[in-house]
């Protein structure tokens, strides 16, 4: 089985590093980017199997990234797991219906929950 | 005579007579023998010897039928007979037969003949003459009277005389000449009569009077005749009444003729064939400017000379005159041009009487003015023609049959055809098809004299097929005899006007509809105060048809005082021309009515105000409402004030809510910011654990994990407090909520020994409109506090739920824990002032907030070391904040 590529996007550097370490330890290939623009570029070039996306970021919010990813043919179908410290009901509905993000993890989450989520996503895809 | 006659006397007589008379004497006897023959007879006829007289003289074989011999012998009288001598060309003779006795006693006859041929002839002639003159006399067309010169008695008269006088012959013959005349004329007549008597043959004019009294003018020619030795006067009376009439008529005619000639504008000159001027009128003298001297001189040549000198071409004039003289039988006509610019027409014709030329007539007509006028007329006609052709109004002359004869330019333009094209068309060709029949009818009517002219609006079809509306005015043109000759049509294109009319009609329709559909009364009043127009709404007010109100005065519909006021206002508008607006109260059919009225003048095109238009709105209800409103104003003010204060209170609450939501957004950001690092810490701890795998650090990692979670809880509480929103109410059973929260709290404080007493008076009434989550939050908080107050993890809690004061549900949670110190009680609902070792200090403030948002209340009373009672009040219904 080929190794899965996961693109992770978050503007908290410390968090990004820890998450990357954790996921790589689990056995995934991880590409970590710190903002939305880089995320878009990386998504197009590396073609990950999954994107873990922080919603609240400084330069470009996760919502916009998700929206733009939808716009590109290559990236539209890549499943996304969102992360956030806080989100409203409105944002939740919007995520579900318009961005196609079915899963959302609330920080600070149990690291094991992340693994579970990722596995279920891959199971779904296959 | 018989015996008395002496033979000797007879013979003597005979002897005397016969030779001197040249008459032969013959003697015959009773046997017709000739006893003696006159020698002249013998000479003429020969010897009679032996022949009988009838043989010898008459050539008869027998005795003559009326033989005188026989008769004389028989009667013994002298017989005179007339005989015709056949032997001598039937010469008439008178035979005188004288019987005598001879001495011997033999009767013999002596016959003598007298040639009476001449006498006879003379007799005949006389007879004829008499007859002829008698006829003349009798049959004369003139009345002839013969009167005795001496006695003046009428002795004879002819038929005509009788007829003229009317008397019978008998009567007339008893009259005298004087009686023939009327009294006035008698003297004069008798004078003439006397004149005639002495031999003067006089012809006089006088009068006679008939039996019936009629006076007849007569001319009497009288002659003296002597008849039978008597002097007689024969008068021939000719009835000259006809002649008199003729004379009068002639005189009249003459004077008429004279007057006519003198009054003519034509100069007349009549000359005889010799060239002598016989007759001329004043005009002739005037127009040629003949001086009196020339006229008086009666010198024809001078006349001619004077005349010719005035002319431009005198030689030609004279030549023509001479020609006329030479050939007077020919009628001539020419124009004379004068040096001074005058122009005469000269007309010559012969004067003919009984087929013979007896003179020459010239007629001169001064046509100078006429010529000028004619020139002017030509110019005028020219102008008129130009006007016709170039008129801006279309004009066309059409034959009686309808053929277009003379279209002018404007007409051609209207139709779009050229003049030439139109001249081959009829008026019906260019008429709109549906109107052809009508057009024909109109033309027929005009021709039949049913009207003098007609004006009609109709349609023409242009060359390009476009239909134009025109107004046509048609009249008849007559020739010089007054007979209709053609139609003259004047055509104006009224398409534009028709469109305008249509638009006007539409506009009027719009206004009418507007007026009729208005919910106000609209009306128009004229100068006399009468209703000129009223709309349906207004008419309905009076429950009549609009038509029934037209023309009626206002007084028919309103009370006198009302009308007086209305008219005053209306008249003011008429006078000033300024609109009026007034709100007035009327008494209408016993009720008080308020009307809001506007009166405006309606000004016609000539600037006169013809009507006043009024719009009235019934504002009675409005007024009533106003009154009511005024009455309630104070009440309303109080109400408003009260409500205002309530509103302010709500506003406060809302502001607080707003502030909270601001806090909410802030908190969200903060929460997120905090959560990220927490997440990182958690991950890092995990990674460390994964990497090291050694149990010694497991405790540390667990601590980190725990603290991270605590931080997370604090954040959650903060968020909760900050994000408390307006409750989403639904029917919630407080008892169920209580039990649910109790269960949860028990699980959290699993190692506590707490006795819980539940006193629920739950029923349908204990269902409150509340946000279940928030309610649970409150319960949880309060219960947790209660549990946490048990120092030794042991205690007792009582929960009471019951209706309170009809409108509220009260939940009392009593514990016997350590209580709350009084100094803390003051700030108990202020956030971030927790007494607990752990906790955000947000619990009670959150509860307070939630209760406030539910329009409820939380009250806490506590005694140190004795316990705490928390009272929660939830309103049963969604009442208006502030009270009933």
């Amino acid at each position: 089985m080929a190794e899965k590529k996961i693109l992770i996007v978050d503007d908290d550097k410390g968090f990004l590093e820890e998450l990357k370490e954790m996921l790589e330890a689990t056995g995934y290939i991880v590409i970590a980017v710190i903002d939305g623009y880089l995320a878009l570029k990386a998504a197009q070039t590396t073609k990950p199997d999954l994107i873990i996306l922080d919603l609240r970021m400084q330069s470009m919010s996760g919502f916009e990234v998700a929206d733009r990813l939808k716009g590109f043919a290559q990236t539209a179908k890549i499943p996304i797991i969102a992360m956030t410290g806080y989100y409203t009901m409105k944002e939740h509905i919007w995520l579900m219906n318009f961005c196609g993000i079915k899963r959302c993890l609330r920080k600070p989450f149990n690291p094991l929950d992340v693994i579970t989520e990722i596995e279920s996503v891959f199971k779904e895809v296959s | 005579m018989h015996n008395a006659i002496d033979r000797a006397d007879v013979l003597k007589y005979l002897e005397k007579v016969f030779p001197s008379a040249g008459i032969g004497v013959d003697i015959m006897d009773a046997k017709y023998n000739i006893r003696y023959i006159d020698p002249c007879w013998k000479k003429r006829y020969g010897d009679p010897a032996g022949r009988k007289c009838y043989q010898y003289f008459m050539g008869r074989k027998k005795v003559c039928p009326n033989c005188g011999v026989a008769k004389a012998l028989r009667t013994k009288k002298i017989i005179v007979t007339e005989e015709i001598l056949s032997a001598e060309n039937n010469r008439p003779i008178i035979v005188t037969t004288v019987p005598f006795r001879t001495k011997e006693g033999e009767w013999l006859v002596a016959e003598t003949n007298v040639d009476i041929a001449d006498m006879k002839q003379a007799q005949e002639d006389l007879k004829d003459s008499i007859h002829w003159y008698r006829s003349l006399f009798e049959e004369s067309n003139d009345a002839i009277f013969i009167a005795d010169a001496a006695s003046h008695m009428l002795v004879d008269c002819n038929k005509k005389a009788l007829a003229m006088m009317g008397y019978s012959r008998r009567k007339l013959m008893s009259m005298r000449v004087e009686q023939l005349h009327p009294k006035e004329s008698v003297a004069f007549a008798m004078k003439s009569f006397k004149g005639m008597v002495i031999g003067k043959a006089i012809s006089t004019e006088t009068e006679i009077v008939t039996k019936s009294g009629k006076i007849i003018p007569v001319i009497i020619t009288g002659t003296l005749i002597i008849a039978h030795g008597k002097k007689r006067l024969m008068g021939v009376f000719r009835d000259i009444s006809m002649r008199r009439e003729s004379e009068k008529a002639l005189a009249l005619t003459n004077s008429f003729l004279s007057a006519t000639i003198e009054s003519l504008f034509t100069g007349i000159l009549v000359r005889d064939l010799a060239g002598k001027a016989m007759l001329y009128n004043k005009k002739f003298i005037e127009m040629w400017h003949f001086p009196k001297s020339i006229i008086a001189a009666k010198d024809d040549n001078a006349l001619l000379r004077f005349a010719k000198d005035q002319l431009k071409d005198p030689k030609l004039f004279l030549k023509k005159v001479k020609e006329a003289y030479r050939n007077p039988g020919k009628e001539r006509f020419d124009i004379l041009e004068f040096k001074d610019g005058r122009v005469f027409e000269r007309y010559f014709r012969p004067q003919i009487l009984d087929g013979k030329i007896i003179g020459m007539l010239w007629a001169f007509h001064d046509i100078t003015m006429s010529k000028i006028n004619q020139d002017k007329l030509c110019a005028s006609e020219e102008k008129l023609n130009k006007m016709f052709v170039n008129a801006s109004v279309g004009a066309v002359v059409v034959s009686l049959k309808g053929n277009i004869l003379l279209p002018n330019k404007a007409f051609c333009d209207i139709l779009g055809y050229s003049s030439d094209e139109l001249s081959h068309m009829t008026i019906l060709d260019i008429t709109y098809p549906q109107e052809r029949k009508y057009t024909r009818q109109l033309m027929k009517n005009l021709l039949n004299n049913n009207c003098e002219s007609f004006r009609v609006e109709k349609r023409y079809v242009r060359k390009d097929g476009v239909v134009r509306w025109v107004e046509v005015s048609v009249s008849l043109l007559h020739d010089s005899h007054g007979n209709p000759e053609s139609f003259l049509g004047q055509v104006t294109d009224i398409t534009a006007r028709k469109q305008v009319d249509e638009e006007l009609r539409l506009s009027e329709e719009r206004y009418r509809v507007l007026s009729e559909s208005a919910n106000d009364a609209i009306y128009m009043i004229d100068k006399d105060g009468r209703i000129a127009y009223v709309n349906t709404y207004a008419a309905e007010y009076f429950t009549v048809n609009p038509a029934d109100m037209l023309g009626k005065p206002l007084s028919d519909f309103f009370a006198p005082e009302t009308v007086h006021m209305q008219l005053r206002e209306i008249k003011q508008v008429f006078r000033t021309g300024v609109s009026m607006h007034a709100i007035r109260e009327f008494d209408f059919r016993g009720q008080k009515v308020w009307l809001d009225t506007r009166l405006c003048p309606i000004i016609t095109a000539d600037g006169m105000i013809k009507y006043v238009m009024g719009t009235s709105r019934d504002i009675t209800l409005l007024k009533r409402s106003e009154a009511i409103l005024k009455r309630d104003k104070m009440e309303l003010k109080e109400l408003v004030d009260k409500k205002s204060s309530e509103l302010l209170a709500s506003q406060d609450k809302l502001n607080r809510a707003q502030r909270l939501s601001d806090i909410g957004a802030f908190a969200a950001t903060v929460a997120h910011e905090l959560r990220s690092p927490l997440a990182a810490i958690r991950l890092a701890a995990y990674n460390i654990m994964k990497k090291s795998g050694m149990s010694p650090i497991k405790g540390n990692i667990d601590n980190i994990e725990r603290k991270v979670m605590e931080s997370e809880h604090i954040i959650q509480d903060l968020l909760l407090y900050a994000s408390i929103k307006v409750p989403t109410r639904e029917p919630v059973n407080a008892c169920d909520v209580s039990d649910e929260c109790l269960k949860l709290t028990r699980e959290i404080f699993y190692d506590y020994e707490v006795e819980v007493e539940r006193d629920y008076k739950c029923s349908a009434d204990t269902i409150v409109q509340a946000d279940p989550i928030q309610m649970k939050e409150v319960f949880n908080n309060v219960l947790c506090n209660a549990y946490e107050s048990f120092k030794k993890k042991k205690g007792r809690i009582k929960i009471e739920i019951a209706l309170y004061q009809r409108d509220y549900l009260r939940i009392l949670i009593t514990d016997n824990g350590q209580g709350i110190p009084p100094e803390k009680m003051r700030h108990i609902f202020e956030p971030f002032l927790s007494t607990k070792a752990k906790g955000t200090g947000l619990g009670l403030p959150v509860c307070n907030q939630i209760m406030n948002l539910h329009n409820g209340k939380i009250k806490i009373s506590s005694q140190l070391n004795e316990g705490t009672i928390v009272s929660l009040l939830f309103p049963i219904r969604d009442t208006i904040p502030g009270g009933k």
Side-chain angles (χ1 to χ4, degrees):
Chain A
M1 192 169 80
E3 281 172 328
K4 299 285 184 189
K5 253 187 282 180
I6 303 180
L7 172 65
I8 58 175
V9 188
D10 199 313
D11 58 355
D12 184 341
K13 195 152 171 249
F15 175 83
L16 206 62
E17 280 174 5
E18 295 299 328
L19 185 59
K20 180 166 180 197
E21 196 179 313
M22 190 199 87
L23 290 176
E24 277 175 339
T26 316
Y28 295 111
I29 302 171
V30 180
I31 308 120
V33 294
I34 203 158
D35 71 32
Y37 295 102
L38 293 170
L40 290 171
K41 220 155 128 192
Q44 281 174 38
T45 50
T46 63
K47 296 201 179 41
D49 302 302
L50 175 68
I51 303 176
I52 299 181
L53 179 60
D54 181 27
L55 289 181
R56 285 200 147 66
M57 290 190 287
Q58 293 278 358
S59 55
M60 193 194 293
S61 77
F63 298 105
E64 206 179 320
V65 172
D67 215 22
R68 288 197 187 193
L69 285 172
K70 270 250 170 298
F72 294 116
Q74 311 105 303
T75 58
K77 293 233 157 64
I78 304 173
I80 302 173
I81 299 175
M83 297 183 298
T84 187
Y86 178 84
Y87 72 126
T88 60
M89 192 51 116
K90 205 162 59 174
E91 285 165 340
H92 175 86
I93 293 167
W94 193 50
L95 281 176
M96 295 301 122
N97 294 336
F98 294 109
C99 299
I101 299 174
K102 301 212 172 80
R103 293 163 161 77
C104 189
L105 291 166
R106 225 215 12 213
K107 296 179 183 175
F109 44 76
N110 191 339
L112 292 171
D113 288 338
V114 178
I115 311 284
T116 323
E117 286 293 326
I118 293 169
E119 279 172 4
S120 67
V121 165
F122 284 141
K123 206 184 278 175
E124 225 177 68
V125 166
S126 59
Chain B
M1 252 226 359
H2 289 274
N3 299 325
I5 298 174
D6 188 52
R7 195 186 329 153
D9 287 320
V10 170
L11 273 171
K12 231 195 272 185
Y13 177 68
L14 289 178
E15 280 174 17
K16 264 193 200 159
V17 169
F18 290 161
S20 59
I23 300 165
V25 63
D26 316 299
I27 297 176
M28 267 74 66
D29 64 21
K31 291 220 173 34
Y32 307 99
N33 299 315
I34 299 172
R35 298 289 245 313
Y36 172 75
I37 189 81
D38 191 275
C40 68
W41 290 133
K42 206 186 234 175
K43 214 192 291 183
R44 208 180 287 179
Y45 296 120
D47 190 3
R51 274 201 277 179
K52 305 274 184 196
C53 61
Y54 53 80
Q55 278 178 316
Y56 181 74
F57 291 112
M58 307 310 271
R60 284 203 166 95
K61 289 195 172 119
K62 277 205 288 200
V63 179
C64 307
N66 288 325
C67 183
V69 171
K71 209 182 219 172
L73 282 173
R74 196 177 62 245
T75 61
K76 312 291 190 277
K77 286 195 179 153
I78 296 173
I79 307 293
V80 179
T81 56
E82 271 189 41
E83 304 287 342
I84 308 283
L85 280 181
S86 54
E88 290 183 45
N89 280 336
N90 295 331
R91 186 161 63 92
I93 51 170
I94 288 185
V95 179
T96 310
T97 313
V98 179
F100 64 92
R101 213 138 140 220
T102 60
K103 245 195 295 202
E104 297 78 38
E106 191 187 6
W107 281 95
L108 296 172
V109 291
E111 245 184 36
T112 64
N113 314 312
V114 177
D115 186 299
I116 57 164
D118 292 339
M119 190 188 83
K120 262 254 180 276
Q121 188 61 47
Q123 231 175 20
E124 284 300 318
D125 287 346
L126 184 65
K127 217 159 69 180
D128 281 342
S129 185
I130 288 171
H131 180 73
W132 192 63
Y133 281 108
R134 190 76 211 172
S135 297
L136 215 65
F137 180 77
E138 279 301 332
E139 304 304 322
S140 169
N141 215 13
D142 300 324
I144 307 177
F145 297 87
I146 302 181
D148 185 72
S151 66
H152 297 182
M153 289 296 293
L154 291 170
V155 297
D156 201 355
C157 68
N158 70 348
K159 274 202 274 206
K160 184 72 185 177
L162 287 172
M164 184 187 277
M165 296 312 293
Y167 294 104
S168 65
R169 179 172 280 275
R170 222 171 103 164
K171 173 70 185 160
L172 208 57
M173 294 307 112
S174 67
M175 285 166 68
R176 299 177 69 213
V177 171
E178 286 87 332
Q179 284 170 282
L180 294 175
H181 301 280
K183 277 202 212 109
E184 316 83 64
S185 320
V186 169
F188 176 73
M190 291 329 288
K191 206 158 86 181
S192 310
F193 186 85
K194 290 210 174 87
M196 288 182 213
V197 165
I198 58 172
K200 293 193 198 165
I202 300 175
S203 187
T204 57
E205 280 186 30
T206 183
E207 281 135 16
I208 51 149
V209 59
T210 66
K211 179 178 181 183
S212 58
K214 183 168 162 199
I215 295 183
I216 302 174
V218 291
I219 184 165
I220 306 175
T221 317
T223 33
L224 184 67
I225 50 174
I226 299 176
H228 309 300
K230 298 209 172 124
K231 272 192 182 174
R232 296 242 145 90
L233 209 55
M234 184 173 81
V236 178
F237 289 50
R238 178 164 289 175
D239 182 344
I240 56 165
S241 33
M242 289 299 289
R243 197 192 80 181
R244 281 270 163 81
E245 294 296 327
S246 301
E247 279 171 0
K248 248 194 262 175
L250 187 68
L252 206 67
T253 305
N254 275 343
S255 78
F256 176 70
L257 207 67
S258 182
T260 305
I261 288 180
E262 287 307 321
S263 67
L264 284 179
F265 282 122
T266 310
I268 306 276
L269 171 70
V270 182
R271 283 205 158 100
D272 63 11
L273 288 172
K276 190 167 164 62
M278 300 296 290
L279 169 77
Y280 44 79
N281 65 356
K282 251 196 296 196
K283 185 73 188 174
F284 171 74
I285 298 171
E286 280 170 9
M287 63 195 303
W288 282 98
H289 304 162
F290 287 124
K292 284 210 185 111
S293 50
I294 289 192
I295 300 296
K298 292 204 193 286
D299 182 348
D300 290 329
N301 285 331
L303 223 63
L304 216 57
R305 268 200 307 274
F306 187 86
K308 77 160 173 48
D309 283 338
Q310 296 177 50
L311 296 168
K312 277 190 188 164
D313 193 344
K315 284 212 177 106
L316 183 63
F317 168 74
L318 282 176
K319 184 166 158 222
K320 288 234 157 121
V321 171
K322 287 203 178 93
E323 270 177 30
Y325 275 109
R326 266 204 301 276
N327 189 2
K330 186 164 166 226
E331 284 184 18
R332 291 160 213 278
F333 173 78
D334 62 350
I335 307 263
L336 300 174
E337 285 179 21
F338 283 65
K339 287 180 188 155
D340 59 4
R342 283 177 294 159
V343 183
F344 286 1
E345 276 179 347
R346 176 170 63 170
Y347 186 55
F348 168 82
R349 68 183 298 237
Q351 188 188 4
I352 294 178
L353 186 65
D354 294 335
K356 263 185 70 189
I357 298 171
I358 59 161
M360 300 177 284
L361 179 132
W362 279 270
F364 300 91
H365 198 175
D366 188 340
I367 56 164
T368 317
M369 281 317 292
S370 170
K371 213 164 195 348
I372 293 171
N373 285 342
Q374 188 144 29
D375 290 339
K376 274 198 201 150
L377 190 69
C378 273
S380 179
E381 264 187 37
E382 181 70 28
K383 238 194 276 177
L384 222 67
N385 202 30
K386 267 211 192 101
M387 270 170 62
F388 176 83
V389 170
N390 296 326
S392 59
V393 169
V396 63
V397 177
V398 172
S399 79
L400 295 180
K401 287 217 174 86
N403 303 77
I404 296 175
L405 299 175
L406 197 66
N408 77 344
K409 189 171 175 309
F411 185 80
C412 295
D413 287 345
I414 291 173
L415 267 304
Y417 289 99
S418 73
S419 172
D420 195 47
E421 286 170 321
L422 281 173
S423 61
H424 292 106
M425 300 169 75
T426 71
I427 206 77
L428 293 175
D429 288 336
I430 54 162
T431 299
Y432 190 67
Q434 266 84 311
E435 289 170 3
R436 281 182 188 154
K437 191 168 171 198
Y438 181 54
T439 302
R440 244 181 279 142
Q441 187 66 38
L442 287 171
M443 283 161 74
K444 210 161 144 201
N445 273 354
L446 192 59
L447 264 181
N448 293 344
N449 241 330
N450 292 348
C451 51
E452 267 198 25
S453 66
F454 64 83
R455 181 178 290 196
V456 66
E457 287 183 8
K458 58 182 280 194
R459 285 166 278 189
Y460 282 153
V461 181
R462 285 171 52 92
K463 184 175 181 180
D464 55 20
V466 171
V467 174
R468 304 289 287 182
W469 274 98
V470 290
E471 190 185 79
V472 180
S473 189
V474 180
S475 53
L476 273 176
L477 293 176
H478 299 89
D479 63 15
S480 53
H481 301 293
N483 296 324
E485 196 179 42
S486 55
F487 293 109
L488 173 69
Q490 295 180 71
V491 177
T492 320
D493 189 327
I494 56 164
T495 313
R497 194 195 84 188
K498 271 259 182 242
Q499 283 169 343
V500 168
D501 282 350
E502 183 59 26
E503 278 167 32
L504 185 70
R505 193 195 65 78
L506 279 170
S507 177
E508 278 181 17
E509 184 63 17
R510 257 181 291 193
Y511 281 117
R512 188 193 68 80
V513 168
L514 205 71
S515 174
E516 284 306 309
S517 53
N519 271 336
D520 297 328
I522 299 175
Y523 45 89
M524 285 210 307
I525 311 291
D526 67 14
K527 275 197 177 290
D528 303 320
R530 286 175 189 276
I531 297 168
Y533 166 76
V534 71
N535 76 340
T536 314
Y537 185 88
E540 279 171 0
Y541 227 84
F542 299 99
T543 59
V544 290
N545 284 325
D548 296 333
M549 289 180 79
L550 293 181
K552 303 258 169 62
L554 287 167
S555 47
D556 279 4
F557 302 97
F558 293 100
E561 321 82 58
T562 314
V563 174
H564 180 74
M565 185 169 60
Q566 289 169 331
L567 284 176
R568 201 182 60 221
E569 289 176 348
I570 287 167
K571 283 202 171 89
Q572 188 186 320
V573 176
F574 268 115
R575 215 179 42 242
T576 63
V578 174
S579 301
M580 246 203 71
H581 178 221
I583 298 175
R584 292 248 158 73
E585 194 179 3
F586 290 97
D587 225 321
F588 182 67
R589 296 190 180 171
Q591 287 196 310
K592 289 245 181 278
V593 165
W594 280 90
L595 290 182
D596 184 340
T597 302
R598 270 182 205 282
L599 295 173
C600 304
I602 299 275
I603 302 173
T604 55
D606 52 1
M608 301 297 296
I609 300 173
K610 203 170 173 198
Y611 300 105
V612 166
M613 177 168 249
T615 314
S616 293
R617 180 167 293 180
D618 184 339
I619 55 165
T620 317
L621 286 169
L622 196 73
K623 278 279 174 189
R624 284 202 205 125
S625 308
E626 273 180 20
I628 292 169
L629 237 63
K630 246 192 204 153
R631 276 205 313 263
D632 294 343
K633 197 174 157 193
M634 286 315 296
E635 260 186 55
L636 203 70
K637 192 169 187 305
E638 278 174 30
L639 209 68
V640 165
D641 285 341
K642 194 150 95 172
K643 294 306 169 194
S644 295
S645 54
E646 282 176 14
L647 211 69
L648 282 167
S650 300
Q651 188 76 14
D652 268 342
K653 286 202 181 131
L654 228 66
N655 284 342
R656 260 187 291 142
Q658 179 68 27
R659 278 203 298 281
L660 284 174
S661 93
D662 290 340
I663 293 173
F666 174 69
T669 317
V670 165
H672 176 83
E673 295 304 312
L674 283 173
R675 276 169 165 167
S676 236
L678 282 175
I681 293 166
R682 207 171 178 187
L683 276 169
Y686 179 79
N687 287 337
I688 292 169
M689 213 171 75
K690 270 276 153 55
K691 268 201 283 203
S692 68
M694 285 191 295
S695 25
I697 61 163
K698 189 174 188 306
N700 306 91
I701 301 296
D702 280 345
N703 276 334
I704 294 172
E705 178 78 23
R706 240 197 335 266
K707 289 304 164 194
V708 164
M709 288 322 293
E710 265 182 46
S711 304
E712 171 56 28
H713 287 130
I714 291 167
I715 291 170
Q716 280 179 5
D717 275 349
L718 191 70
L719 283 177
L720 185 66
Y721 179 78
S723 72
I724 294 172
K725 301 236 187 324
V726 172
T728 317
R729 292 174 204 259
E730 55 188 72
V732 176
N733 192 328
C735 307
D736 291 339
V737 169
S738 174
D739 284 344
E740 210 180 303
C741 294
L742 205 55
K743 189 164 163 218
L744 189 67
T745 323
R746 274 207 177 109
E747 278 171 20
I748 296 172
F749 294 90
Y750 60 90
D751 53 351
Y752 278 53
E753 270 176 54
V754 176
E755 212 181 289
V756 179
E757 191 190 324
R758 289 146 68 240
D759 181 8
Y760 294 166
K761 291 190 176 72
C762 283
S763 60
D765 291 338
T766 56
I767 292 175
V768 291
Q769 294 287 337
D771 186 323
I773 296 168
Q774 290 181 351
M775 197 185 218
K776 282 180 195 158
E777 185 68 29
V778 169
F779 266 93
N780 283 333
N781 264 299
V782 171
L783 287 169
C784 282
N785 286 349
Y787 270 78
E788 282 166 2
S789 75
F790 299 133
K791 277 265 144 331
K792 296 189 173 115
K793 297 192 181 178
K794 243 174 142 181
R796 206 172 58 240
I797 293 176
K798 185 174 175 194
I799 307 175
E800 291 161 81
I801 301 179
L803 265 182
Y804 178 75
Q805 287 185 1
R806 273 207 307 154
D807 289 319
Y808 293 96
L809 186 72
R810 186 171 72 174
I811 303 149
L812 283 175
I813 302 160
T814 320
D815 71 57
N816 61 351
Q818 65 182 17
I820 305 165
E823 60 272 19
K824 299 279 189 295
M825 282 294 284
R826 270 205 298 280
H827 306 293
I828 202 158
F829 292 124
E830 281 178 38
F832 307 112
L833 291 178
S834 173
T835 49
K836 293 196 264 200
K838 65 173 181 184
T840 56
L842 281 178
L844 286 175
V846 166
C847 294
N848 189 30
Q849 182 71 344
I850 290 172
M851 291 316 291
N852 282 337
L853 288 173
H854 280 80
N855 303 317
K857 211 137 173 53
I858 178 170
K859 270 213 288 256
I860 301 181
S861 59
S862 185
Q863 282 278 74
L864 260 181
N865 300 318
E866 295 227 358
T868 313
I869 309 173
V870 175
S871 157
L872 299 172
L873 278 174
F874 279 97
I876 300 285
R877 289 179 294 274
D878 255 7
T879 53
I880 295 168
K884 312 183 221 183

